[in-house]
mmCIF file of all heavy atoms in Angstrom:
data_model
loop_
_atom_site.group_PDB
_atom_site.id
_atom_site.type_symbol
_atom_site.label_atom_id
_atom_site.label_comp_id
_atom_site.label_asym_id
_atom_site.label_seq_id
_atom_site.Cartn_x
_atom_site.Cartn_y
_atom_site.Cartn_z
ATOM 1 N N ILE A 219 20.893 23.983 13.988
ATOM 2 C CA ILE A 219 22.232 24.522 14.214
ATOM 3 C C ILE A 219 22.944 24.735 12.885
ATOM 4 O O ILE A 219 23.595 25.760 12.663
ATOM 5 C CB ILE A 219 23.047 23.572 15.113
ATOM 6 C CG1 ILE A 219 22.469 23.543 16.530
ATOM 7 C CG2 ILE A 219 24.511 23.998 15.168
ATOM 8 C CD1 ILE A 219 23.075 22.474 17.416
ATOM 9 N N ILE A 232 36.608 36.735 26.531
ATOM 10 C CA ILE A 232 36.665 35.520 27.341
ATOM 11 C C ILE A 232 38.018 35.434 28.047
ATOM 12 O O ILE A 232 39.070 35.714 27.444
ATOM 13 C CB ILE A 232 36.448 34.273 26.461
ATOM 14 C CG1 ILE A 232 35.096 34.351 25.743
ATOM 15 C CG2 ILE A 232 36.535 32.994 27.285
ATOM 16 C CD1 ILE A 232 34.903 33.281 24.698
ATOM 17 N N HIS A 234 40.732 33.246 28.895
ATOM 18 C CA HIS A 234 41.218 31.957 28.396
ATOM 19 C C HIS A 234 42.609 31.741 28.964
ATOM 20 O O HIS A 234 43.580 32.342 28.522
ATOM 21 C CB HIS A 234 41.248 31.973 26.867
ATOM 22 C CG HIS A 234 41.631 30.663 26.242
ATOM 23 N ND1 HIS A 234 42.935 30.357 25.903
ATOM 24 C CD2 HIS A 234 40.891 29.575 25.908
ATOM 25 C CE1 HIS A 234 42.977 29.146 25.372
ATOM 26 N NE2 HIS A 234 41.752 28.657 25.355
ATOM 27 N N LEU A 250 9.107 25.416 19.254
ATOM 28 C CA LEU A 250 8.758 24.370 18.297
ATOM 29 C C LEU A 250 7.272 24.031 18.364
ATOM 30 O O LEU A 250 6.800 23.532 19.389
ATOM 31 C CB LEU A 250 9.559 23.091 18.564
ATOM 32 C CG LEU A 250 10.758 22.821 17.661
ATOM 33 C CD1 LEU A 250 11.798 23.890 17.854
ATOM 34 C CD2 LEU A 250 11.332 21.449 17.947
ATOM 35 N N ARG A 317 29.589 25.867 14.440
ATOM 36 C CA ARG A 317 28.229 25.346 14.268
ATOM 37 C C ARG A 317 28.217 24.116 13.379
ATOM 38 O O ARG A 317 27.513 23.142 13.657
ATOM 39 C CB ARG A 317 27.326 26.431 13.671
ATOM 40 C CG ARG A 317 26.925 27.541 14.621
ATOM 41 C CD ARG A 317 25.921 28.440 13.936
ATOM 42 N NE ARG A 317 25.628 29.622 14.711
ATOM 43 C CZ ARG A 317 24.733 29.680 15.694
ATOM 44 N NH1 ARG A 317 24.071 28.591 16.017
ATOM 45 N NH2 ARG A 317 24.521 30.795 16.348
ATOM 46 N N GLU A 357 26.777 13.483 26.977
ATOM 47 C CA GLU A 357 27.781 14.098 27.852
ATOM 48 C C GLU A 357 29.180 13.993 27.242
ATOM 49 O O GLU A 357 29.971 14.947 27.295
ATOM 50 C CB GLU A 357 27.749 13.431 29.222
ATOM 51 C CG GLU A 357 28.662 14.066 30.252
ATOM 52 C CD GLU A 357 28.249 15.457 30.653
ATOM 53 O OE1 GLU A 357 27.139 15.900 30.286
ATOM 54 O OE2 GLU A 357 29.056 16.129 31.344
ATOM 55 N N VAL A 360 29.441 16.637 24.471
ATOM 56 C CA VAL A 360 29.606 17.998 24.979
ATOM 57 C C VAL A 360 31.024 18.219 25.486
ATOM 58 O O VAL A 360 31.678 19.224 25.160
ATOM 59 C CB VAL A 360 28.581 18.268 26.099
ATOM 60 C CG1 VAL A 360 28.896 19.583 26.819
ATOM 61 C CG2 VAL A 360 27.166 18.308 25.533
ATOM 62 N N GLY A 389 24.210 48.160 10.393
ATOM 63 C CA GLY A 389 23.901 49.540 10.021
ATOM 64 C C GLY A 389 25.090 50.466 10.098
ATOM 65 O O GLY A 389 24.992 51.632 9.725
ATOM 66 N N VAL A 457 39.086 43.012 18.784
ATOM 67 C CA VAL A 457 39.474 41.949 19.708
ATOM 68 C C VAL A 457 40.084 42.603 20.943
ATOM 69 O O VAL A 457 40.629 43.708 20.877
ATOM 70 C CB VAL A 457 40.469 40.967 19.052
ATOM 71 C CG1 VAL A 457 39.866 40.330 17.818
ATOM 72 C CG2 VAL A 457 41.776 41.669 18.709
ATOM 73 N N GLY A 460 43.696 43.225 26.253
ATOM 74 C CA GLY A 460 44.210 42.699 27.504
ATOM 75 C C GLY A 460 43.936 43.547 28.723
ATOM 76 O O GLY A 460 44.137 43.095 29.856
ATOM 77 N N GLY A 474 22.554 25.601 38.806
ATOM 78 C CA GLY A 474 21.132 25.797 38.997
ATOM 79 C C GLY A 474 20.828 26.379 40.374
ATOM 80 O O GLY A 474 21.706 26.486 41.239
#
Side-chain angles (χ1 to χ4, degrees):
I219 292 171
I232 302 171
H234 184 267
L250 259 64
R317 286 186 188 276
E357 185 67 10
V360 170
V457 301

